[in-house]
Amino acid sequence: VQLQASGGGLVQAGGSLRLSCAASGRTFSAYDMGWFRQGPGKEREFVGRINWSGSSTYYANSVAGRFTISRDNAKNTVYLQMNSLKPEDTAVYYCAASTKASTKAADYRYWGQGTQVTVSS
């Protein structure tokens, strides 16, 4: 699976962004999809995940209630809607594909290249 993330940018605190991750290659709908992020000087951290059908999602406590993951298997695309953004959300955001329902980066086999999100105060 090849993944291409897009939609990052600069936004003021309190604003919103929607990231997209387009997949090509193997059957997209066979994979659970996750979003991770890596802020300046920080380790990569789990943001959220969605199961293969889109019927189940799970979020890190730091983004629960503000971020929403969805997917459109007909378009081979997964989305990360980010609302009420905070400066601490500033990071490179990565999408990833896994055959497991996991929050661990090591369980994700395929990764996109990352897209930068910067939230100004």
Side-chain angles (χ1 to χ4, degrees), residues 14-64:
S16 298
L17 277 176
R18 188 176 80 156
L19 306 184
S20 299
C21 176
S24 61
R26 294 179 180 265
T27 305
F28 174 70
S29 61
Y31 293 91
D32 286 8
M33 297 297 297
W35 285 96
F36 292 78
R37 66 186 182 185
Q38 187 165 14
K42 298 181 180 180
E43 294 187 353
R44 190 170 298 190
E45 65 173 351
F46 170 79
V47 173
R49 57 167 291 276
I50 187 167
N51 73 334
W52 66 274
S53 68
S55 63
S56 175
T57 54
Y58 180 76
Y59 301 95
N61 289 339
S62 58
V63 306

Side-chain angles (χ1 to χ4, degrees), residues 11-19 37 62-69 80-87 89 93 117 119:
V11 63
Q12 289 188 332
S16 298
L17 277 176
R18 188 176 80 156
L19 306 184
R37 66 186 182 185
S62 58
V63 306
R66 299 188 298 122
F67 290 12
T68 302
I69 299 174
L80 178 64
Q81 177 66 45
M82 304 184 294
N83 299 329
S84 302
L85 282 161
K86 305 175 182 179
D89 294 319
Y93 283 72
V117 172
V119 184

Side-chain angles (χ1 to χ4, degrees), residues 59-111:
Y59 301 95
N61 289 339
S62 58
V63 306
R66 299 188 298 122
F67 290 12
T68 302
I69 299 174
S70 60
R71 67 189 294 163
D72 185 339
N73 286 343
K75 295 183 178 180
N76 284 359
T77 303
V78 62
Y79 305 98
L80 178 64
Q81 177 66 45
M82 304 184 294
N83 299 329
S84 302
L85 282 161
K86 305 175 182 179
E88 51 262 45
D89 294 319
T90 294
V92 177
Y93 283 72
Y94 299 89
C95 58
S98 176
T99 57
K100 299 180 180 181
S102 175
T103 63
K104 299 178 181 179
D107 288 332
Y108 287 77
R109 181 175 180 180
Y110 303 103
W111 290 81

